[in-house]
């Protein structure tokens, strides 16, 4: 019988020929990513008398949630992370490179078919390259760092077949928000997702990352795209070697297959305070926006900044709205500068910060105050997520965020798609 | 550690997220400062919760982030355990890893009212509402999940594993 991508990864990682949904396996990690959580995990290991990780080559440590450190306490944590990663001989300390998921992906640390454990719920992002990215908490991360393995239940898989072609000004984020709105934020609870269909095949890796990333907002354990020619093109120069193809068997069994036509889709907005509270932009337009935030592992890659630059070229950010742009990685920042986007954004009045998580989890660089409305390209709009619990957070595509920054309110970005 | 929990019910709805249980700007604070921010959607909760109380919730309890402070805050407030229609998966696993008993039991939300006397056992999956004299069956924990819970958490399992392997500085 054929296997889904999740089944194939877990069979290999647990040393079996085949697995079926519902089975429990102990799976070995190909990569382990820890962000600021590393400090606490490493201290726990030392307390247990454990002086080394299972394989320092496979572990990556990144400081992104609070970079550059906004408080002395965080600065101490970062210094400790640096010291501890030396003590544990961690091979890849990518302390200041940007947001973990973006950095691992763009630097070629993730390959199709791998099993990756990350100390972050959006580790599903690696599914954009056909890898099984799985988010875990601190205690499990401590265990994985020590042993390189973890128990997992083999999940059933649901498949989203995305048909049709997106209209100009409509992005993969709009597809994603449509899915959370239409199917609910627990449709993939305890399950794996496979995104497929012609629209998925046409998407860039960056656009795929948005959907894989927010697989977490559908409740998923993994959120895959099959690794195809595009994946190979993306990875080949980054890994300097062969890129395996990886996908489901043709006769794989799915718990459900949902066919979604994206051709007529209009831009979507997630309203406060749940990523599943989604409406088409026509029903939300006119809401005053005080902060427009273009950032996070969901949507702050080069193509996102390009879209923002397209909309902001020759236009100005509204006086009563602040536009904060936080590139997903330092590399993205550099590439955007070389492409001329940062100048266009700055000229329009955007504030560009160092790359990192920034305002997304409400840490710094754009914390919102009571009564404020933030339109954000991030993945979660829970109450209090970006600062005050009395602020309202709406989620949208980079195009919608840029257009709202100009208009000062939520608008249909397609009206700003052409030159002013 | 026992697999059975009995206590008075606090009842919550669907989609209560980890930010509600552990707001980001509180997670680096000591627990005594953190505690009053836990589940502010019901401000009386953090103030009035008694050791051994049980939470009954709707769908997707603990959706959101991987922050372990969410189940940890509940455990340290003295909550005996949680029975929900369903859980956010990372949150649920974090609960097992820190030996905090939680059970996914479809039908529980309608079968319980605030203040009911509820008992559940993750080994058998049996859920008994003593106030109403009703009973529900949920899928019980697997042997592996039970082993982690009974050991007192995943780090205890790790320690035992090392002891068995003759503590070499590696696990
Ligand atoms: S950008 Fe936001 S969602 Fe992504 S890893 Fe950072 S805090 Fe999490």
């Amino acid at each position: 019988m054929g296997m889904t991508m999740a089944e194939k990864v877990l069979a290999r990682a647990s040393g079996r020929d085949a697995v079926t949904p519902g089975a429990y396996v102990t799976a070995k990690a190909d990569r382990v990513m820890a962000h600021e959580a590393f400090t606490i995990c490493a201290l726990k290991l030392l307390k247990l008398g454990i002086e080394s990780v299972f394989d320092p080559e496979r572990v990556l440590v990144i400081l992104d949630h609070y970079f550059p450190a906004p408080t002395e306490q965080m600065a101490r944590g970062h210094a400790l992370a640096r010291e501890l990663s030396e003590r544990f001989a961690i091979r890849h300390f990518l302390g200041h490179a940007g947001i973990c998921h973006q950095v691992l992906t763009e630097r070629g640390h993730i390959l199709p078919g791998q099993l990756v454990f990350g100390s972050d719920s959006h580790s599903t992002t690696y599914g954009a390259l056909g890898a099984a990215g799985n988010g875990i908490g601190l205690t499990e991360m401590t265990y994985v760092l020590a042993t390189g393995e973890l128990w997992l239940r083999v999940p059933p898989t649901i498949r989203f077949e995305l048909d049709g072609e997106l209209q100009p000004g409509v992005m993969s984020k709009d597809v994603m928000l449509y899915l959370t709105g239409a199917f609910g934020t627990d449709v993939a609870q305890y399950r794996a997702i496979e995104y497929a269909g012609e629209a998925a095949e046409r998407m860039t890796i960056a656009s795929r990352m948005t959907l894989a990333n927010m697989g977490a907002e559908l409740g998923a354990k993994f959120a895959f795209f099959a690794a195809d020619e595009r994946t190979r093109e993306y990875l080949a120069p980054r890994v300097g070697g062969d890129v395996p193809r990886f996908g489901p068997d043709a006769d794989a069994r799915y718990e459900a297959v949902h066919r979604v036509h994206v051709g007529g889709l209009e831009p979507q907005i997630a309203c406060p305070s749940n990523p599943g509270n989604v409406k088409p932009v026509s029903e939300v337009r006119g809401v005053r926006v005080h902060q427009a935030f273009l950032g996070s592992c969901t949507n702050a890659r080069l193509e996102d900044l390009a879209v923002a630059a397209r909309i902001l070229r020759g236009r100005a950010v509204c006086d009563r709205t602040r536009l904060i742009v936080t590139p997903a990685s330092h590399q993205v920042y550099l590439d955007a500068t070389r492409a001329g986007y940062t100048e266009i954004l700055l000229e329009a009045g955007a504030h560009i910060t160092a790359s990192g998580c920034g305002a997304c989890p409400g840490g710094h660089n754009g914390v919102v105050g009571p009564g404020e409305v933030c339109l954000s390209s991030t993945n979660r709009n829970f109450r209090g997520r970006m600062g005050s619990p009395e602020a309202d957070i709406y989620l949208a595509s980079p195009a919608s965020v840029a257009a709202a920054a100009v208009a000062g309110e939520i608008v249909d970005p397609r009206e700003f798609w052409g030159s002013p | 550690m026992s697999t059975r929990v009995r206590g008075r019910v606090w009842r919550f709805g669907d989609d209560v997220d980890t930010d509600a249980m552990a707001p980001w700007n509180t997670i680096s604070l000591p627990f005594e400062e953190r505690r009053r921010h836990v589940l502010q959607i019901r401000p009386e909760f953090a103030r009035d919760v008694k050791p051994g109380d049980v939470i009954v919730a709707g769908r997707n309890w603990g959706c959101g982030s991987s922050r372990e402070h969410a189940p940890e805050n509940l455990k340290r407030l003295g909550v005996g355990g949680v029975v929900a229609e369903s859980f956010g998966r990372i949150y649920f696993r974090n609960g097992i890893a820190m030996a905090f008993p939680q059970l996914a039991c479809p039908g529980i939300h309608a079968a319980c009212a605030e203040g009911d006397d509820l008992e559940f056992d993750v080994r058998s999956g049996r859920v008994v509402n003593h106030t109403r004299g009703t009973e529900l069956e949920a899928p019980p924990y697997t042997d592996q999940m039970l082993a982690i819970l009974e050991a007192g958490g995943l780090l205890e399992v790790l320690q035992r594993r090392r002891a068995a392997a003759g503590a070499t500085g590696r696990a």
Side-chain angles (χ1 to χ4, degrees):
Chain A
M1 196 182 77
M3 288 193 283
T4 63
M5 295 177 78
E7 290 155 17
K8 283 185 173 183
V9 172
L10 292 180
R12 181 193 53 75
S14 63
R16 302 176 193 212
D17 292 332
V19 293
T20 46
Y24 285 81
V25 299
T26 298
K28 288 202 179 327
D30 298 298
R31 289 281 177 278
V32 176
M33 184 286 293
H35 49 49
E36 273 95 336
F38 177 75
T39 307
I40 300 170
C41 296
L43 291 174
K44 285 189 193 224
L45 287 176
L46 291 176
K47 213 166 149 193
L48 292 171
I50 300 172
E51 305 267 351
S52 58
V53 296
F54 76 106
D55 181 356
E57 291 287 323
R58 291 172 190 261
V59 178
L60 299 103
V61 173
I62 298 196
L63 306 177
D64 58 0
H65 278 56
Y66 287 105
F67 180 81
T71 63
E72 187 184 335
Q73 189 191 12
M74 291 305 152
R76 282 173 207 267
H78 285 181
L80 204 48
R82 193 174 57 233
E83 280 165 35
L84 289 165
S85 61
E86 270 169 37
R87 177 151 178 194
F88 281 87
I90 301 301
R91 170 96 155 73
H92 300 286
F93 177 76
L94 304 169
H96 323 122
I99 305 170
C100 52
H101 309 308
Q102 176 65 21
V103 172
L104 260 65
T105 306
E106 74 187 12
R107 296 209 177 181
H109 289 292
I110 304 294
L111 287 175
Q114 282 181 339
L115 176 62
V116 186
F117 291 115
S119 65
D120 188 276
S121 55
H122 290 102
S123 300
T124 50
T125 310
Y126 311 127
L129 297 175
N134 184 237
I136 57 178
L138 279 175
T139 303
E140 292 198 320
M141 179 49 72
T142 307
Y143 187 89
V144 170
L145 285 169
T147 66
E149 58 184 44
L150 193 63
W151 70 275
L152 290 172
R153 192 178 72 142
V154 179
T157 298
I158 59 176
R159 196 168 155 94
F160 289 105
E161 300 262 3
L162 309 175
D163 292 337
E165 192 167 356
L166 291 174
Q167 289 174 17
V170 183
M171 303 181 68
S172 74
K173 177 64 159 285
D174 297 302
V175 176
M176 186 64 231
L177 293 177
Y178 175 78
L179 295 180
T180 55
F183 293 91
T185 51
D186 58 359
V187 63
Q189 194 69 267
Y190 314 125
R191 291 167 175 79
I193 292 171
E194 285 180 17
Y195 297 108
E198 47 173 335
E201 283 161 25
R202 256 199 306 267
M203 278 177 198
T204 61
I205 298 298
S207 293
R208 292 178 185 182
M209 284 173 78
T210 303
L211 281 154
N213 177 274
M214 286 190 69
E217 275 56 57
L218 295 169
K221 178 179 225 152
F222 311 126
F224 293 102
F225 284 77
D228 57 11
E229 187 51 27
R230 268 186 193 278
T231 320
R232 202 192 59 74
E233 275 170 23
Y234 178 89
L235 277 177
R238 298 166 202 265
V239 300
D242 249 14
V243 179
R245 277 184 185 259
F246 185 68
D249 290 328
D251 56 346
R253 290 224 234 157
Y254 297 96
E255 188 186 72
V257 177
H258 301 291
R259 206 164 261 280
V260 179
H261 297 277
V262 302
L265 195 68
E266 79 171 274
Q268 307 283 308
I269 309 279
C271 301
S273 291
N274 190 282
N277 184 19
V278 175
K279 297 186 178 138
V281 68
S282 51
E283 290 177 25
V284 194
R285 58 178 314 145
V287 173
R288 270 281 292 280
V289 173
H290 307 105
Q291 172 166 301
F293 179 58
L294 178 55
S296 87
C297 55
T298 314
N299 273 125
R301 282 174 270 283
L302 190 63
E303 71 175 28
D304 302 320
L305 270 51
V307 161
R310 177 191 176 115
I311 288 172
L312 289 165
R313 182 194 293 273
R315 296 193 173 99
V317 173
C318 171
D319 282 343
R320 292 170 185 278
T321 303
R322 55 185 186 271
L323 170 60
I324 295 172
V325 179
T326 301
S329 70
H330 193 68
Q331 187 64 46
V332 166
Y333 200 157
L334 178 60
D335 292 344
T337 303
R338 287 187 174 139
Y341 304 148
T342 55
E343 189 173 338
I344 295 169
L345 298 178
L346 289 168
E347 214 154 41
H351 301 275
I352 307 182
T353 76
S355 61
C357 297
C360 170
H364 62 147
N365 278 342
V367 175
V368 291
E372 287 200 311
V373 170
C374 180
L375 183 69
S376 176
S377 72
T378 56
N379 47 36
R380 289 191 179 133
N381 59 345
F382 300 140
R383 203 143 276 296
R385 167 83 181 178
M386 299 178 76
S388 169
E390 288 147 56
D392 280 340
I393 308 168
Y394 293 75
L395 305 177
S397 76
S400 296
V401 169
V406 173
E409 58 185 44
I410 294 177
V411 286
D412 190 329
R414 291 174 297 182
E415 292 160 22
F416 293 76
W417 200 241
S419 315
Chain B
M1 141 133 224
S2 169
T3 61
R4 229 180 53 220
V5 178
R6 181 169 176 176
R8 187 177 57 116
V9 167
W10 289 82
R11 193 163 171 272
F12 287 84
D14 293 340
D15 294 316
V16 177
D17 57 74
T18 51
D19 282 70
M21 302 176 199
W24 183 256
N25 56 6
T26 70
I27 63 178
S28 334
L29 301 175
F31 178 71
E32 280 316 309
E33 288 169 52
R34 234 162 58 204
R35 59 178 299 149
R36 66 192 172 87
H37 300 282
V38 179
L39 291 170
Q40 280 290 290
I41 43 174
R42 287 186 63 184
E44 74 282 12
F45 174 78
R47 192 185 62 220
D48 298 341
V49 66
K50 298 273 180 308
D53 284 358
V54 169
I55 288 175
V56 164
R59 283 162 56 155
N60 217 10
W61 174 263
C63 58
S65 114
S66 59
R67 71 190 67 160
E68 224 161 76
H69 312 75
E72 188 197 332
N73 279 349
L74 302 182
K75 194 177 174 184
R76 291 182 71 171
L77 278 170
V79 174
V82 182
V83 187
E85 296 287 330
S86 68
F87 289 89
R89 57 166 296 277
I90 305 180
Y91 165 90
F92 184 72
R93 290 187 65 108
N94 286 341
I96 293 173
M98 67 174 64
F100 182 49
Q102 308 194 91
L103 197 61
C105 178
I108 187 66
H109 198 250
C112 258
E114 182 79 9
D116 280 2
D117 172 11
L118 191 77
E119 180 175 356
F120 70 97
D121 187 346
V122 297
R123 183 192 303 280
S124 63
R126 225 170 126 237
V127 182
V128 184
N129 186 329
H130 291 289
T131 305
R132 300 165 176 230
T134 54
E135 234 184 275
L136 286 169
E137 291 280 336
Y141 276 18
T142 62
D143 290 345
Q144 196 162 21
M145 288 151 73
L146 278 176
I148 298 168
L149 189 81
E150 286 177 324
L154 193 59
L155 293 186
E156 288 296 323
V157 173
L158 179 59
Q159 209 156 17
R160 290 180 195 182
R161 179 177 163 154
R162 281 186 77 239
T168 57
R170 289 197 54 147

